[in-house]
């Protein structure tokens, strides 16, 4: 765990969603690749990476994901684009079922932690998403947990722009240094959150690349969200 110079004091949290609450800190590209391996999809990791990038760009440029899409429908669309690119659509249903089961497990664990945190401090969600985050939150029982939701597709600002975290701070009605941002990405969550003046907690997990990660960029590094509940380095201010 990264040592703190001073106690991390917080009156409220800003949480990232994808990679933080639904995969336990593992980059979604890696989650997908491991599931491809589990299903014995006959592609190399290099080819999969090309397909993953192709899929993300396609979804970013085209209004494929609708506001009422559940996460299962979102995954369905994402996988269809990737696997059509790879010419392996016959593996689609198997991979979808495996992925969704794993996401349900992670979100259930995250929900249990968030419900306890909600008794201590208010929380806001800040996410780069497709415009359907409210539907997804209801799907996994997160609805009602967050006081506000800041979604990139709605507000027109995307991470790593620090302004999206400033919107989260404003929604909490607090000073930036009273707010702690929790995310899985050093580049998209931790660094821009610091630029917005917030404290940060980085949840460790498998990254998209094997490049070394500078944990010192975060005030605190954890391996599991449960560490937010009982951590001597975190003081909650009521």
């Amino acid at each position: 765990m990264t040592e703190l110079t001073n106690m991390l004091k917080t009156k409220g949290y800003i949480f990232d969603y994808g990679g933080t609450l639904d995969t336990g800190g593992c980059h979604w590209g890696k989650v997908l690749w491991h599931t491809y391996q589990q299903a014995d999809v006959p592609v190399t990791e290099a080819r999969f990476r090309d397909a993953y990038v192709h899929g993300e760009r396609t979804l970013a440029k085209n209004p494929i994901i609708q506001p009422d899409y559940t996460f299962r429908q979102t995954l369905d669309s994402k996988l269809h684009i990737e696997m059509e690119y790879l010419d392996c659509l016959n593996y689609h249903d198997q991979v979808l079922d495996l992925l969704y089961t794993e996401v349900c497990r992670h979100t259930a664990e995250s929900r249990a932690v968030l419900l306890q945190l909600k008794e201590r401090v208010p929380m806001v969600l800040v996410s780069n998403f497709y415009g359907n985050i409210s539907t997804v939150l209801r799907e996994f029982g997160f609805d009602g947990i967050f006081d506000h939701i800041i979604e990139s597709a709605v507000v027109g600002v995307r991470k790593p722009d620090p302004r999206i975290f400033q919107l989260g701070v404003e929604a909490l009605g607090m000073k930036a240094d009273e707010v702690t941002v929790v995310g899985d990405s050093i580049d998209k969550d931790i660094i821009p959150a610091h630029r917005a003046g917030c404290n940060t907690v980085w949840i460790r997990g498998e990254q998209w690349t094997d490049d070394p990660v500078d944990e010192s960029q975060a005030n605190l590094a954890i391996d599991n969200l449960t560490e937010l509940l009982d951590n001597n380095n975190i003081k909650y201010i009521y």
Side-chain angles (χ1 to χ4, degrees):
M1 181 178 295
T2 302
E3 292 295 327
L4 293 178
T5 303
N6 298 301
M7 177 73 69
L8 193 160
K9 301 176 182 179
T10 188
K11 286 186 177 181
Y13 275 113
I14 293 174
F15 278 90
D16 168 53
Y17 181 75
T20 299
L21 300 181
D22 59 358
T23 71
C26 187
H27 188 283
W28 253 102
K30 282 293 189 179
V31 173
L32 285 159
W33 168 239
H34 291 321
T35 310
Y36 273 56
Q37 290 178 299
Q38 186 179 354
D40 293 322
V41 181
V43 296
T44 64
E45 185 173 5
R47 279 283 291 156
F48 162 76
R49 283 175 172 264
D50 289 342
Y52 177 78
V53 172
H54 167 73
E56 291 301 301
R57 288 175 177 170
T58 300
L59 291 174
K61 293 177 181 178
N62 302 282
I64 295 169
I65 307 301
Q66 299 300 305
D68 63 346
Y69 272 30
T70 64
F71 195 66
R72 186 176 179 91
Q73 288 173 300
T74 303
L75 276 178
D76 188 348
S77 299
K78 184 190 292 282
L79 284 172
H80 192 277
I81 294 167
E82 289 178 4
M83 292 185 156
E84 187 174 50
Y85 180 90
L86 293 167
D87 193 24
C88 61
L89 278 171
N90 52 311
Y91 288 89
H92 173 277
D93 291 352
Q94 181 185 2
V95 172
L96 176 60
D97 287 342
L98 289 168
L99 275 172
Y100 193 72
T101 298
E102 188 69 4
V103 169
C104 287
R105 181 178 69 82
H106 279 295
T107 52
E109 292 173 355
S110 296
R111 180 178 181 274
V113 173
L114 294 181
L115 285 172
Q116 294 181 68
L117 284 178
K118 186 175 175 62
E119 297 176 359
R120 304 182 184 184
V121 292
M123 298 181 292
V124 165
L125 186 79
V126 170
S127 179
N128 284 354
F129 221 72
Y130 305 106
N132 63 324
I133 191 66
S134 294
T135 302
V136 171
L137 293 177
R138 287 194 299 272
E139 180 181 3
F140 295 121
F142 289 123
D143 50 320
I145 291 179
F146 298 101
D147 295 271
H148 298 276
I149 298 168
I150 312 294
E151 184 178 8
S152 60
V154 175
V155 300
V157 183
R158 288 182 61 83
K159 303 175 195 178
D161 191 327
R163 290 180 298 167
I164 198 167
F165 291 107
Q166 291 168 355
L167 291 174
V169 171
E170 292 169 9
L172 283 166
M174 300 174 183
K175 298 177 182 178
D177 62 3
E178 297 173 330
V179 175
T180 297
V181 173
V182 182
D184 68 299
S185 172
I186 293 290
D187 293 334
K188 292 183 178 180
D189 297 317
I190 304 306
I191 292 175
H194 271 305
R195 289 176 180 163
C198 300
N199 303 304
T200 58
V201 174
W202 177 56
I203 179 168
R204 296 184 185 95
E206 191 173 6
Q207 303 298 296
W208 180 236
T209 70
D210 294 327
D211 297 336
V213 177
D214 181 7
E215 291 189 13
S216 68
Q217 296 283 348
N219 291 103
L220 186 66
I222 61 176
D223 295 306
N224 191 288
L225 287 180
T226 57
E227 294 177 54
L228 298 176
L229 297 172
D230 186 19
N231 192 307
N232 292 330
N233 288 318
I234 301 175
K235 179 178 177 61
Y236 293 102
I237 305 172
Y238 303 96

